[in-house]
């Protein structure tokens, strides 16, 4: 299997290193035509707005959406998760273009600014069942997003407690209304068919189980065409939400 790693910005080199560590071939992807030669794709973490601008400049979005629809495995980490989400909130003015396909709502920088980055042991029973090893995984969260809602076909692989400061912001913004402010945990890893997404950075650890898990994913979406959407199509949904968090620059 040849795995493409979107190499516009962010931690693509770390993903390539992790792939080499488990004996797999990884190639950098910067042009649409390069996607034709790979069997799977990783969209790494980085600065999602910058990555979106570069992808738009290189006219990559149409090719990326088509790649998702093929049923080939696609994994988004951190910023890559944002790209794959059908809906995103907490964005800068004007929003950003999304690839879509993953039936979830993500908050762009749910856990706060760079200073609120953290590490935590996550419970990962599905990963341990498939790949062996311990039942926990060290999640590295760097200015990280979180998944607030998922659709019925999305399998939750890991969740995370909401840090006290983030919970305080949530309560202030929600003004005691029901919603995410009533939960003390948020989703940070999911799978839907051929799509895998993590809010944290497995490529920054020496534990390669997520990469192995990803490479074993099969085309199990039943041949269904995944629907992709951009932020312009989600304004009505966002207006219904009683909560949002500060947008950290």
């Amino acid at each position: 299997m040849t795995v493409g790693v979107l190499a516009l910005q962010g931690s693509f080199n770390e993903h390539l290193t992790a792939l080499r560590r488990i004996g797999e071939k990884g190639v950098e992807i910067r042009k649409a035509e390069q996607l034709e030669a790979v069997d799977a794709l990783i969209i790494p973490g980085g600065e999602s707005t910058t990555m979106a601008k570069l992808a738009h400049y290189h006219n990559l979005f149409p090719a990326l959406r088509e790649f998702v629809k093929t049923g080939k495995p696609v994994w988004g980490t951190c910023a890559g998760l944002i790209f794959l989400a059908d809906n995103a909130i907490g964005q800068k003015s004007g929003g950003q273009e999304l690839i879509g396909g993953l039936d979830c709502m993500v908050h762009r920088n749910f856990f706060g600014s760079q200073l609120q980055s953290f590490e935590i042991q996550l419970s990962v029973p599905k990963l341990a069942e498939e790949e062996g090893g311990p039942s926990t995984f060290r999640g590295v969260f760097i200015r990280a997003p979180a998944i607030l809602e998922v659709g019925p076909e999305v399998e939750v692989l890991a969740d995370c407690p909401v840090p006290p400061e983030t919970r305080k912001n949530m309560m202030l913004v929600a003004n005691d209304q029901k919603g995410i402010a009533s939960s003390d945990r948020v989703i940070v890893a999911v799978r839907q068919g051929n799509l895998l997404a993590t809010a944290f950075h497995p490529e920054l650890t020496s534990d390669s189980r997520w990469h192995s898990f990803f490479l074993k994913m099969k085309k199990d979406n039943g041949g269904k065409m995944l629907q992709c959407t951009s932020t312009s199509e989600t304004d009505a949904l966002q207006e219904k939400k009683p909560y949002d968090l500060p947008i950290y620059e």
Side-chain angles (χ1 to χ4, degrees):
M1 177 180 289
T2 300
V3 183
V5 182
L6 192 64
L8 300 177
Q9 188 262 349
S11 59
F12 60 90
N13 276 321
E14 287 80 1
H15 274 293
L16 291 167
T17 299
L19 290 170
R20 286 195 297 269
R21 192 162 59 234
I22 60 175
E24 297 293 340
K25 180 181 180 181
V27 296
E28 298 179 8
I29 300 295
R30 294 188 176 89
K31 297 180 180 180
E33 56 266 28
Q34 293 175 310
L35 289 168
E36 299 174 5
V38 299
D39 306 297
L41 178 68
I42 296 175
I43 305 174
E47 211 295 310
S48 61
T49 304
T50 300
M51 291 175 66
K53 289 178 179 178
L54 290 169
H56 181 75
Y57 177 80
H58 292 286
N59 196 31
L60 271 166
F61 277 105
L64 289 168
R65 293 190 183 106
E66 287 302 316
F67 192 92
V68 167
K69 291 178 182 179
T70 65
K72 293 180 179 180
V74 182
W75 176 18
T77 62
C78 197
L81 158 62
I82 299 170
F83 273 108
L84 289 178
D86 279 345
N87 305 299
I89 62 173
Q91 301 193 66
K92 296 179 181 178
S93 178
Q96 68 180 59
E97 196 168 357
L98 302 176
I99 298 168
L102 183 60
D103 185 11
C104 73
M105 172 176 285
V106 62
H107 191 291
R108 177 177 169 269
N109 54 357
F110 178 86
F111 291 105
S113 68
Q114 193 83 7
L115 294 177
Q116 276 73 55
S117 300
F118 63 98
E119 298 182 15
I120 190 172
Q121 290 293 329
L122 301 170
S123 176
V124 287
K126 180 68 173 182
L127 184 68
E129 176 186 341
E130 296 290 333
E131 301 299 325
S135 61
T136 61
F137 186 92
R138 182 165 63 93
V140 179
F141 292 81
I142 303 175
R143 197 182 177 191
I147 299 169
L148 307 183
E149 297 176 358
V150 297
E153 297 184 359
V154 178
E155 179 183 9
V156 175
L157 302 177
D159 62 12
C160 175
V162 178
E165 187 59 32
T166 303
R167 169 168 284 281
K168 179 181 178 182
N169 287 334
M170 288 162 55
M171 294 301 293
L172 288 173
V173 174
N175 194 24
D176 294 328
Q177 298 183 60
K178 292 182 179 180
I180 192 66
S182 65
S183 173
D184 60 355
R185 304 185 73 85
V186 288
I187 300 166
V188 294
V190 295
R191 178 183 178 181
Q192 180 187 346
N194 62 306
L195 302 180
L196 177 67
T198 55
F200 49 94
H201 290 264
E203 75 278 9
L204 299 183
T205 75
S206 60
D207 190 335
S208 302
R209 287 181 295 162
W210 282 105
H211 288 80
S212 297
F213 179 83
F214 170 64
L215 293 176
K216 292 176 183 176
M217 286 169 51
K218 298 179 180 179
K219 301 177 183 178
D220 58 359
N221 63 337
K224 293 183 290 185
M225 298 294 284
L226 297 174
Q227 297 298 314
C228 300
T229 145
S230 65
T231 51
S232 62
E233 299 172 313
T234 65
D235 292 341
L237 179 61
Q238 294 181 28
E239 289 174 1
K240 295 178 183 178
K241 292 295 166 187
Y243 55 83
D244 202 351
L245 297 180
I247 298 173
Y248 296 90
E249 301 296 337

